[in-house]
Amino acid sequence: DQQVKQNSPSLSVQEGRISILNCDYTNSMFDYFLWYKKYPAEGPTFLISISSIKDKNEDGRFTVFLNKSAKHLSLHIVPSQPGDSAVYFCAASGVGRGSTLGRLYFGRGTQLTVWP
Amino acid sequence: DGGITQSPKYLFRKEGQNVTLSCEQNLNHDAMYWYRQDPGQGLRLIYYSQIVNDFQKGDIAEGYSVSREKKESFPLTVTSAQKNPTAFYLCASSSPGGMVYGYTFGSGTRLTVV
């Protein structure tokens, strides 16, 4: 059973507009959330993270919002650029719980396409 | 430069053969992980190791084996028991409590069974 869900397999956005990628989770013990970006035939690269004690974290064009009560997070990219076209993975972790310490649970990913 | 090296980048295997994928890191990370990526499936955990000489099964460990004799190395063997081994394999590592930046991933190995 997937504990981290990305329900939209794909998203298409025009260059310059906002991209919003969504992620839901089921485990209320998760306390750290991350977004990764992946190009074909490459490993994922870290993009941005947020701790459960915050509801927003911003880094340049990228902002992650966390709604703990809804068990939902979103990644906003503003403005979107063609180079942002990639698969975006949402991940969650529950630090400090024995054998699962540090383990990340990944969603299935959302393919973002930014067109000119 | 510190990082994770996976080799080879492309690997072809005949049915019935075992094959070993290499993963080496010089980040001094304690924990290492193997994931498999299939289209539409995201990243699925095969095995992970939090310290040398110790490892645990992930969600899809059947047909795979690992060893962790050195901190820097975490090779994955895909055995003939793995029914559908064609996939993109990713190795990752992390430091304890390193959830600010999560994992560092290698560039992956594409395994194709012919």
Side-chain angles (χ1 to χ4, degrees):
Chain A
D1 188 28
Q2 277 224 298
Q3 299 190 55
V4 177
K5 299 179 183 179
Q6 294 176 258
N7 292 320
S8 297
S10 64
L11 175 67
S12 183
V13 170
Q14 188 175 23
E15 182 179 6
R17 295 191 178 261
I18 184 171
S19 295
I20 300 176
L21 295 94
N22 293 303
C23 178
D24 297 292
Y25 61 96
T26 58
N27 189 340
S28 58
M29 299 301 288
F30 285 146
D31 54 11
Y32 228 97
F33 304 90
L34 303 91
W35 285 93
Y36 282 83
K37 177 180 179 179
K38 185 184 182 300
Y39 293 116
E42 294 184 8
T45 55
F46 169 79
L47 197 55
I48 192 169
S49 64
I50 188 168
S51 162
S52 61
I53 63 174
K54 295 186 174 182
D55 55 17
K56 177 182 174 181
N57 189 26
E58 195 170 352
D59 184 2
R61 295 187 297 115
F62 303 92
T63 303
V64 57
F65 295 92
L66 176 62
N67 183 335
K68 284 182 63 179
S69 61
K71 295 191 180 67
H72 177 84
L73 62 154
S74 61
L75 174 68
H76 293 213
I77 306 174
V78 183
S80 301
Q81 299 173 354
D84 295 330
S85 297
V87 176
Y88 289 78
F89 288 101
C90 172
S93 174
V95 178
R97 277 190 289 288
S99 63
T100 61
L101 178 69
R103 178 189 164 169
L104 285 177
Y105 294 82
F106 286 87
R108 295 190 175 187
T110 296
Q111 171 69 56
L112 172 65
T113 302
V114 180
W115 47 280
Chain B
D1 284 342
I4 296 184
T5 301
Q6 288 187 245
S7 60
K9 192 165 182 66
Y10 299 96
L11 189 56
F12 296 88
R13 187 196 92 174
K14 291 183 178 180
E15 282 195 38
Q17 286 182 339
N18 292 356
V19 65
T20 297
L21 282 60
S22 170
C23 178
E24 304 277 335
Q25 55 101 356
N26 60 4
L27 298 165
N28 200 33
H29 285 170
D30 290 308
M32 297 187 74
Y33 312 82
W34 274 105
Y35 282 86
R36 166 179 173 147
Q37 185 188 16
D38 297 282
Q41 294 287 335
L43 303 178
R44 294 186 291 169
L45 182 65
I46 305 172
Y47 267 98
Y48 63 104
S49 167
Q50 293 177 324
I51 56 172
V52 174
N53 293 323
D54 186 47
F55 48 83
Q56 288 80 39
K57 293 182 179 179
D59 302 321
I60 54 165
E62 185 176 349
Y64 299 98
S65 66
V66 293
S67 63
R68 186 83 187 279
E69 296 176 2
K70 298 187 300 181
K71 187 175 184 177
E72 302 79 21
S73 178
F74 191 39
L76 173 74
T77 297
V78 185
T79 75
S80 56
Q82 168 50 234
K83 296 190 188 329
N84 187 19
T86 295
F88 188 58
Y89 290 87
L90 287 160
C91 180
S93 69
S94 69
S95 56
M99 279 302 110
V100 175
Y101 300 109
Y103 297 172
T104 301
F105 281 89
S107 57
T109 293
R110 169 73 62 184
L111 173 64
T112 304
V113 174
V114 297

